[in-house]
Amino acid sequence: MSYFSQMQTFTAVFLAALVLTTGLRLWLARRHIRHIARCRGTVPADFSEHIGLAAHQKAADYSTAKTQLGIIDILIGALFLLALTLGGALQALHNAWLRAFDAGSYAHGIALIISVALISGLIDLPLSLYRTFVVEARFGFNKMTLKLFFADLIKQTLLGAALGLPLLLCVLWLMQRMGEQWWLYVWLTWIAFNLLVLTVYPTLIAPLFNKFTPLEDAGLKSRIEALLAKCGFRAQGLYVMDSSRRSSHGNAYFTGFGAAKRIVLFDTLIARLAAAEIEAVLAHELGHFRHHHVWKRMAGLFAMSLGFLWLLGYVMNQDWFYAGLNVQARSTALALMLFFLVVPVFTFLLRPLTSLYSRKHEYEADAYAARHTIPADLIHALVKLYRDNAATLTPDPLYSAFYDSHPPALLRISRLQSAVARGQSQPA
């Protein structure tokens, strides 16, 4: 096949994949909205004793509002990708930076990638503001001020530059200097970078955005420490995070690894749940660690990144890859940017597999919690969280299969109720 035919074929394949992915995402969103609307008038029977119709309808309206905003985001993202590639914007940016830096230089490549990232961020900014100060505020969740919003944005930008620029320079250097096996060296660098971020996140990064104070509730602390001892889990400390500064949503999580593991409770979670319910939620999180879910997901991520980097190593040497996306120039920075711009277009159909894998982990963590705490306590905690966070109880099944890393409420609660029915009402 001639170069011209290869270029045309790749352009056609890219356009077909973009149309298919965008069309599917829009169809799923509209299907989700219609399904929620059909179920809006009746609370599912398993939840009717604990969630009133008004709360159920609030969750339906909240999910609908977020999905409608997501439709706009999908359309903007597709148009932006087209503008960068076939529309010639990426080539124009490449040419513009030639006035300041030599072609193929590290400075030129970094400037090109940063400019695309900044433009993308500016395009996303109005949606982020609307999501926070209109959608979240309308349903009573937003606690963030405009000043705090932009303070967070500035911190995120500076942190991204502090961490991302050295990594980007290292990647570009490896791509140019390590020969045909550069992708293996980049992969090892990527693994080391992720492990470094995981190590420093609890003590250096997270405190930039939130205040963490040791848990003071003696009764709750004693209860959690007893659970940790029973499960053979050691943590560096129990902390409360001031999440109420930004949102009224509640949650809990573990962070760090090794001896640096921390348990973090949102202050909103403590305000909503009873001590036994908090214990059950933490037992669920302990289940993730006991089953090594974090490491399994990281291993999967690293395996996929290795495959993608190997593929990038192949396509970056193909003229049709650049020309098929309407880019005449060639450089490592352009190859890196083009590849990771278009990869999501071709991988969206794999999302149900990653969601299914994540749901399997959630079920395993629930089962672990049911063995080490009273299952009814986890059920009560989940029902409260679904209600207070306005999480819809009736997502469209197909939409949920693509997007939801956690099982739908009905399926999750049903499994826990089965544990109760089997007589597993006392912790092991």
Side-chain angles (χ1 to χ4, degrees):
M1 185 182 293
S2 68
Y3 157 74
F4 187 70
S5 297
Q6 289 177 319
M7 178 196 72
Q8 286 187 319
T9 299
F10 184 61
T11 301
V13 169
F14 167 67
L15 280 174
L18 180 60
V19 170
L20 173 63
T21 296
T22 304
L24 178 58
R25 293 178 68 190
L26 293 173
W27 177 72
L28 287 170
R30 294 301 303 167
R31 175 188 172 101
H32 184 52
I33 290 171
R34 289 193 298 268
H35 184 83
I36 290 174
R38 285 196 299 269
C39 301
R40 185 178 182 275
T42 306
V43 181
D46 289 344
F47 293 89
S48 58
E49 293 183 6
H50 305 284
I51 297 180
L53 181 60
H56 173 65
Q57 292 178 337
K58 176 185 176 181
D61 295 341
Y62 178 54
S63 296
T64 297
K66 290 193 298 180
T67 306
Q68 288 171 336
L69 187 62
I71 289 175
I72 299 174
D73 193 29
I74 291 168
L75 292 171
I76 291 175
L79 292 174
F80 181 56
L81 179 57
L82 276 176
L84 282 175
T85 54
L86 302 186
L90 193 58
Q91 180 66 50
L93 285 170
H94 174 274
N95 295 339
W97 282 114
L98 288 177
R99 301 188 185 99
F101 306 109
D102 293 335
S105 66
Y106 297 125
H108 182 273
I110 290 173
L112 177 64
I113 293 173
I114 289 176
S115 59
V116 172
L118 288 176
I119 293 170
S120 177
L122 289 173
I123 290 174
D124 186 59
L125 182 58
L127 286 180
S128 296
L129 287 166
Y130 187 86
R131 183 180 300 110
T132 301
F133 294 101
V134 177
V135 175
E136 294 292 312
R138 184 195 309 164
F139 293 94
F141 294 123
N142 180 51
K143 304 298 180 183
M144 185 179 290
T145 64
L146 199 60
K147 178 181 178 181
L148 182 57
F149 178 91
F150 281 104
D152 281 353
L153 183 61
I154 292 171
K155 289 180 185 178
Q156 290 164 3
T157 303
L158 293 176
L159 181 63
L163 295 175
L165 289 180
L167 175 66
L168 178 58
L169 177 60
C170 181
V171 167
L172 292 177
W173 184 85
L174 290 170
M175 291 177 71
Q176 291 189 26
R177 297 299 183 90
M178 292 294 107
E180 294 183 357
Q181 302 300 314
W182 66 262
W183 49 272
L184 182 58
Y185 294 98
V186 170
W187 181 65
L188 294 173
T189 302
W190 173 243
I191 291 176
F193 174 78
N194 277 272
L195 294 178
L196 174 63
V197 170
L198 279 175
T199 302
V200 303
Y201 178 83
T203 55
L204 298 181
I205 298 177
L208 296 174
F209 299 93
N210 289 98
K211 182 179 179 181
F212 295 83
T213 56
L215 178 62
E216 296 180 353
D217 186 325
L220 179 59
K221 183 177 180 180
S222 175
R223 189 169 194 133
I224 293 174
E225 288 175 343
L227 174 67
L228 297 179
K230 181 170 60 177
C231 296
F233 184 90
R234 291 187 298 173
Q236 187 267 338
L238 307 174
Y239 293 88
V240 179
M241 188 180 86
D242 62 339
S243 63
S244 56
R245 291 181 62 210
R246 292 171 174 81
S247 172
S248 62
H249 290 298
N251 207 342
Y253 67 92
F254 290 97
T255 185
F257 62 93
K261 291 193 293 291
R262 288 183 170 192
I263 296 174
V264 178
L265 303 173
F266 286 22
D267 54 358
T268 48
L269 185 80
I270 294 176
R272 288 176 183 168
L273 300 186
E277 294 165 349
I278 294 174
E279 180 186 3
V281 170
L282 287 179
H284 169 91
E285 299 300 330
L286 284 171
H288 285 306
F289 273 90
R290 182 56 61 194
H291 289 287
H292 309 293
H293 292 158
V294 174
W295 291 109
K296 289 177 181 177
R297 293 178 190 182
M298 288 182 65
L301 174 64
F302 291 152
M304 286 189 293
S305 64
L306 179 62
F308 284 136
L309 287 170
W310 175 85
L311 182 59
L312 172 58
Y314 168 74
V315 299
M316 69 180 293
N317 294 317
Q318 310 302 316
D319 290 334
W320 53 261
F321 173 66
Y322 301 88
L325 296 171
N326 196 27
V327 174
Q328 286 73 50
R330 288 183 58 170
S331 72
T332 52
L334 275 171
L336 187 67
M337 172 145 307
L338 281 171
F339 185 80
F340 287 103
L341 280 172
V342 302
V343 157
V345 172
F346 294 97
T347 58
F348 180 74
L349 290 176
L350 299 177
R351 288 195 63 160
L353 295 179
T354 59
S355 294
L356 184 65
Y357 186 60
S358 177
R359 291 183 184 200
K360 176 178 179 292
H361 289 174
E362 294 303 323
Y363 282 133
E364 289 175 352
D366 278 351
Y368 183 89
R371 290 194 302 271
H372 291 84
T373 61
I374 299 175
D377 289 334
L378 182 57
I379 293 173
H380 294 152
L382 291 174
V383 170
K384 286 182 180 179
L385 290 174
Y386 284 125
R387 181 191 64 209
D388 295 344
N389 291 331
T392 181
L393 303 175
T394 56
D396 173 69
L398 192 55
Y399 178 93
S400 181
F402 270 85
Y403 288 103
D404 292 344
S405 60
H406 287 60
L410 290 172
L411 296 179
R412 193 172 179 186
I413 297 298
S414 176
R415 286 208 178 193
L416 287 168
Q417 288 174 334
S418 297
V420 175
R422 290 194 302 268
Q424 194 174 341
S425 59
Q426 296 295 328

